[in-house]
Amino acid sequence: MTDFKQIENNLKKEAKRLLEAGEVTVVLAYGRGYDEKHSMPFAAKTSADVEKLVFNEYCNFNMARYLMRYPCGTKIAIAAKAADSRAIVQLIQEEKVRREDLIILGIPAYGMKNQKTDEVVDSKTTCGLYNPPLYNILLGEEVHGQPVVSPYEVLAEYEAMDKEARWAFWKKEFDKCIRCYACRKACPMCYCDPCFIDQSKPRWADKAPQSPGNMMYHLTRFHHLAGRCIDCGECSRACPVDIPLYLFHKKVAKECEEMFGQAAGMKLEDKPVLVDFRVEDSDKILE
Amino acid sequence: MSFKPKILGIACNWCTYTGADLAGTTRLHYPQNLRVVRVMCSSRINPSFIFRAFQLGADGVLVGGCHPGDCHYNTGNLYARRRLAVTKKILEFAGLEPGRFRVEWISASEGNKFAEVVEEFTAQIKELGPQQKLKIDELREKA
Ligand code: SF4
Ligand code: SF4
């Protein structure tokens, strides 16, 4: 298990140093909520703020979500677990943020827990990586010796279903959706303004939380995140009615990886797969 | 009453649409279930068009573009190929019959191919029957 206290101390130390040296204007990390379990995204701007930083096993938020709130050129330090770091890589690929503006405080974390269910967060609902692929400073010891489980393993059961059963499953799930858009709000890759679902010309779908509009919202959202979703699982954890969105995102990510040979947010020099092509892409992918 | 499928065709201006024209001027016969929308390029096709078409009652969607390498804009169909492949996977994982959505490369000189593809696709959709899954409820009641 990761030593969360040690990471918290290192986080405070680094945050203080960076802020006092004026290397960054803001440190994006976690602050205490109304209890231990409910930490909150927190932006520390002064060395006094640093005392309010926390890190524990419930700090699941993907802080990359908040990077785009700051004007380009703002120097930002950001705490990033494995998936968060992938999100940052993806955002750099998409030219939403610049590498030189960021100081990434990498957090190798094993044993994160879902604050709603207390279940351990692992490759079932996320990408299952423990060490951030990109960072400037690592706040703890790298995690080694944990079994590497493919994040796509959980899909087998759903892929084996026949299409009628799968349709029934998704219809039931999407019918639960109350269209609070917490999934979109939590997602580091959902930054469009306006989101297609908020447009009125054309009006892509009904705004009411009913079956057809929900279906349209979700299918399109899965499509917009194809090859970009870095499988942090935040959308599903944010969902108040517990729709397993991660399953669909994982499926799309798996297909993209198989078809285009590249996982989202792993390398800075990659290009997102859907704004790229190869002349030698096969027509087989359309079958 | 026998089932008359409604099929949305989305065809690129330079190849498939011209190919369809050729099929017409050479007096080829093919089923009349296809309603064609012309777009300037297959990469103009927003995947939501396809989801929406199914919601609004299409039984099948056929997308036509230039052969890879022949795109009027050089690379449009290469982007479209990737994008529409993803669309297909999404529809499939949601539980729609995979045969309801098809992408074909048809050039301006392939009037024959156009007629054949439409014939084949229509037969396939007839086999699959009416598309009820994504269709919105109001339309379903009338059907
Ligand atoms: S879609 Fe969900 S899992 Fe994927 S990046 Fe967004 S919040 Fe994370
Ligand atoms: S968070 Fe859940 S309920 Fe809210 S819009 Fe997303 S899927 Fe629907």
Side-chain angles (χ1 to χ4, degrees), chain A residues 117-150:
Chain A
T117 60
D118 256 324
E119 278 167 22
V120 173
V121 174
D122 57 14
S123 64
K124 278 199 205 76
T125 54
T126 70
C127 66
L129 291 183
Y130 302 120
N131 298 318
L134 179 77
Y135 55 84
N136 298 74
I137 302 164
L138 207 57
L139 299 181
E141 309 242 314
E142 280 204 30
V143 182
H144 287 298
Q146 297 305 329
V148 185
V149 186
S150 157

Side-chain angles (χ1 to χ4, degrees), chain A residues 163-164 166-167 170 204 212 215-216 220 223 248 251 255 260 273 275-277 279 281 283 285-286, chain B residues 47-49 52 55 75 78-79 81-83 87-90 92-94 97 105 133-134 136:
Chain A
K163 56 183 185 323
E164 302 302 321
R166 214 159 46 217
W167 171 256
W170 285 118
W204 293 104
M215 195 53 86
M216 190 69 187
T220 307
H223 208 303
F248 217 119
K251 174 66 180 173
E255 292 292 349
F260 315 126
V273 291
V275 295
D276 197 11
F277 64 84
V279 177
D281 279 342
D283 277 345
I285 59 178
L286 288 167
Chain B
S48 301
F49 291 175
R52 198 65 182 143
Q55 288 204 322
T75 55
L78 300 175
Y79 288 107
R81 175 160 61 186
R82 285 194 160 195
R83 195 179 303 148
T87 313
K88 197 161 169 115
K89 301 292 190 265
I90 288 179
E92 212 173 311
F93 195 61
E97 296 81 11
W105 310 130
K133 285 178 180 156
L134 281 168
I136 60 179

